[in-house]
Amino acid sequence: MSTIALLTDFGHQDSYVGVMKGVMAGIAPNAQTIDLTHGIPPQDLHAAAFALLTSYKFFPKDTIFCCVVDPGVGGDRLAVAARLESQNSGPFYIVCPDNGLLTPVLHELPAAAAVTLDNPIYHLGQTSATFHGRDIFAPVAAHLAAGHALAKLGSKLEPGALIQLDWPQAERLEDGWRAKVVYIDSFGNLVTNLKGAALEPPLRNWQIDVRETHLETVSRTFSDVVRGAPLAYVGSSGFLEVALRQGNAHRELRVDIGETVLVKRRND
């Protein structure tokens, strides 16, 4: 049984996600479909890229990620599919617009092969200019799940030609790191681009500054501080985060995506 994971900015109010699932069920009825998320903010490629980056490792090999966050739908951007090889979890596929959504995953795991989805045999008849999720990406993902080879889906594309987002990397400093907030979750927690593994233990010896907020240490979990207090911690995604216990750091600390987070080792 193949697995298809859906990632979109469609929400649940409209029928878009259900229609995509209907298309896939007609082509690959035995595939298991998992809703990774449909809550990506509209057209937010960076949020979609981060959600994919922090999720793909937890799926079985040969999973097909159908990712439709597509501000350029119907325009010049390509529709693509890529196969990536992970030593830990095995190969998997990503079907998506070529708009940079793959960028952070490709930083971790270069694509082994890619194609442009220009073979109409694997599309859903006449293609709408505004709903490629239904007409191109869903049927292509389903055909992959049904066992069709990647090479049959379209023309070969050099993986190095895939569009790249401007994805900031944490900067090494003499006494620490300069990180950036790259994602804000539904709780208002501020997720940075600094991996916790980059912080030499013990974590309590690191101090954090973001805007007017200074934190003397990196905590283990939320219960290390009192309700309403700010804290820094390494989140479940493996990245350094800043939050308020039972509060919204995004709103109350007035910190947005792109904000600098300074992480420095204490000298005491």
Side-chain angles (χ1 to χ4, degrees), residues 7 67 77 82 89 95 136 141 156 159 178-179 182 219 233 263 265:
L7 184 159
C67 305
R77 68 97 184 97
S89 57
V95 179
I136 297 177
K156 182 178 179 181
R178 180 182 288 111
V182 294
S219 300
Y233 58 97
V263 183
R265 183 178 286 279

Side-chain angles (χ1 to χ4, degrees), residues 66-202:
C66 184
C67 305
V68 189
V69 178
D70 196 10
V73 62
D76 294 336
R77 68 97 184 97
L78 298 177
V80 298
R83 187 181 79 250
L84 292 85
E85 301 283 349
S86 170
Q87 292 183 348
N88 296 326
S89 57
F92 63 96
Y93 298 85
I94 301 176
V95 179
C96 66
D98 185 25
N99 55 17
L101 194 154
L102 288 174
T103 300
V105 172
L106 292 176
H107 286 174
E108 285 195 354
L109 205 63
V115 297
T116 300
L117 303 178
D118 55 9
N119 187 344
I121 292 175
Y122 298 97
H123 300 174
L124 193 68
Q126 187 172 356
T127 302
S128 162
T130 60
F131 197 2
H132 287 182
R134 177 194 66 194
D135 299 338
I136 297 177
F137 299 118
V140 163
H143 282 297
L144 278 170
H148 293 269
L150 179 71
K152 292 184 177 181
L153 303 177
S155 305
K156 182 178 179 181
L157 177 68
E158 288 301 321
L162 291 165
I163 297 295
Q164 298 283 300
L165 287 175
D166 181 14
W167 191 263
Q169 301 294 313
E171 178 186 355
R172 190 70 163 100
L173 305 175
E174 184 177 351
D175 56 350
W177 294 87
R178 180 182 288 111
K180 296 282 187 183
V181 176
V182 294
Y183 184 77
I184 299 173
D185 70 14
S186 60
F187 295 97
N189 300 332
L190 312 169
V191 187
T192 76
N193 58 352
L194 179 62
K195 291 186 177 181
L199 301 177
E200 297 87 355

Side-chain angles (χ1 to χ4, degrees), residues 221-251:
T221 189
F222 301 99
S223 60
D224 290 346
V225 302
V226 299
R227 181 174 179 174
L231 73 153
Y233 58 97
V234 178
S236 61
S237 65
F239 290 88
L240 182 74
E241 303 183 15
V242 175
L244 292 182
R245 181 180 177 183
Q246 293 175 264
N248 188 305
H250 169 50
R251 182 176 61 244

